[in-house]
């Protein structure tokens, strides 16, 4: 009887140890992967930690909420010499906060770029603006934003819904942009191939390979831009910057580095 109880005790102790190992080993492996297999993420985290976030409301009418992140020697908000400023618009379900949360603003600031994201009228902290009801009004709106924020020939990043603002501005004021990065924007079919062919702005066309609608649809129109290149983000949907931020950032930085 005593021997049977001893064996039972040993069996229970072994089962308990096995259960504890089952709980602890995956956590240890997860920590090891985070610490050792992705050094770029650590670098990006350090950049974000050292960054200074600044928000404000651009003066004039309409008022526009913006946020920018500057790091290191760029704390004043100025870009390094020879590097363009970058202005981020957003999709319908998002705001300027998206680019801060992804670390995009901090990453670019760490590379010496002035990176600014705005809330489009009626989104986030920007009030609605009647002037944006027409394409001409949306061009005037972006003119106003660039003037108030002191951004001379920036690179314009335009995902999804914001194509309603960026595309008419590109066609009317392309010479005021150092570069254009459309991310599966809406409204590309509203313009003819000949209109696109007149644009000389360097362009990076970005979309996710799992975006079966706006990605390839916008490419059919945007491929008429003379100075374009295409980057397809693997295993990513319509908001490819959310699905694969590292791949998105790599493509964006590669494009920015090649601009003169």
């Amino acid at each position: 009887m005593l021997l049977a109880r001893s064996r039972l005790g040993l069996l229970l102790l072994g089962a308990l140890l096995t259960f504890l190992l089952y709980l602890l080993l995956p956590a240890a492996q997860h920590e090891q992967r985070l610490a050792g297999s992705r050094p770029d993420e650590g670098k990006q985290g350090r950049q974000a930690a050292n960054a200074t976030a600044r928000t404000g409301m651009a003066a004039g009418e309409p008022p526009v909420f913006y946020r920018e992140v500057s790091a290191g020697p760029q704390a004043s908000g100025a870009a390094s010499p020879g590097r363009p400023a970058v202005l981020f618009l957003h999709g319908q379900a998002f705001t300027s906060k998206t680019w801060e949360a992804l670390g995009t603003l901090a990453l670019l600031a760490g590379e010496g770029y002035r990176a600014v994201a705005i809330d489009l009228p009626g989104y986030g902290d920007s009030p609605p603006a009647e002037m944006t009801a027409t394409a001409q009004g949306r061009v005037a709106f972006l003119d106003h934003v660039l003037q108030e924020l002191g951004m001379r020939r920036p690179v314009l990043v335009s995902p999804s819904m914001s194509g309603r603002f960026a595309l008419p501005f590109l066609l009317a004021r392309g010479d005021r942009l150092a570069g254009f990065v459309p991310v599966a924007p809406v409204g590309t079919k509203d313009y003819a191939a000949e209109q696109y062919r007149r644009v000389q702005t360097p362009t990076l066309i970005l979309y996710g390979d799992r975006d079966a609608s706006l990605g390839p649809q916008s490419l059919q129109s945007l491929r008429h831009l003379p100075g374009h290149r295409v980057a397809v983000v693997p295993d990513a949907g319509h908001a490819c910057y959310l699905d694969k931020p590292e791949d998105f950032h790599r493509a964006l930085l590669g494009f920015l580095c090649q601009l003169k």
Side-chain angles (χ1 to χ4, degrees):
M1 188 72 173
L2 182 60
L3 181 61
R5 287 181 178 176
S6 298
R7 287 180 177 175
L8 179 61
L10 288 173
L11 286 173
L12 290 174
L13 180 60
L16 179 61
L17 289 173
T18 302
F19 179 69
L20 289 173
L21 286 173
Y22 175 79
L23 290 177
L24 294 176
L25 278 177
Q29 291 170 349
H30 180 65
E31 290 293 332
Q32 184 177 12
R33 284 197 300 270
L34 286 179
S37 64
R38 300 172 96 174
D40 288 345
E41 285 188 355
K43 179 181 178 183
Q44 181 174 331
R46 288 193 297 273
Q47 290 171 338
N50 294 329
T52 301
R54 183 165 68 94
T55 62
M57 192 72 73
E61 286 295 331
V64 181
F65 179 85
Y66 70 92
R67 69 181 75 234
E68 62 179 300
V69 177
S70 300
Q74 304 310 317
S76 64
S80 294
R83 297 192 177 184
V86 185
L87 177 63
F88 289 87
L89 308 184
H90 60 81
Q92 186 167 7
F94 307 104
T95 67
S96 63
K97 182 67 176 177
T98 303
W99 300 113
E100 182 182 359
L102 278 176
T104 307
L105 300 181
L107 178 64
L108 265 63
E111 295 293 334
Y113 296 93
R114 183 189 178 197
V116 183
I118 64 169
D119 288 349
L120 292 168
Y123 293 87
D125 292 315
S126 290
E130 291 184 7
M131 69 184 298
T132 60
T134 66
Q136 183 178 3
R138 291 189 289 274
V139 171
F141 168 78
L142 285 181
D143 269 333
H144 161 72
V145 169
L146 298 187
Q147 179 178 351
E148 294 299 329
L149 294 179
M151 304 184 79
R152 182 178 179 273
R153 297 194 75 240
V155 173
L156 184 61
V157 180
S158 171
S160 196
M161 174 276 295
S162 67
R164 295 176 59 246
F165 290 79
L167 289 172
F169 188 85
L170 174 74
L171 297 176
R173 307 277 197 272
D175 59 332
R176 298 188 186 180
L177 296 175
F180 180 51
V181 184
V183 188
V186 303
T188 55
K189 286 187 173 182
D190 295 343
Y191 306 98
E194 186 55 39
Q195 291 176 279
Y196 288 112
R197 292 191 186 104
R198 290 197 290 265
V199 175
Q200 299 300 314
T201 308
T203 299
L204 173 66
I205 302 170
L206 259 172
Y207 66 96
D209 67 352
R210 291 194 282 105
D211 184 354
S213 55
L214 276 173
Q217 181 186 108
S218 61
L219 177 62
Q220 291 304 307
S221 297
L222 295 173
R223 63 185 176 86
H224 295 294
L225 292 167
H228 82 268
R229 67 191 69 174
V230 180
V232 181
V233 180
D235 300 318
H238 180 57
C240 60
Y241 44 90
L242 290 182
D243 293 339
K244 288 296 187 71
E246 289 182 15
D247 291 340
F248 173 82
H249 289 154
R250 188 178 301 112
L252 177 59
L253 281 172
F255 175 68
L256 293 175
C257 287
Q258 294 180 19
L259 294 176
K260 296 181 180 180

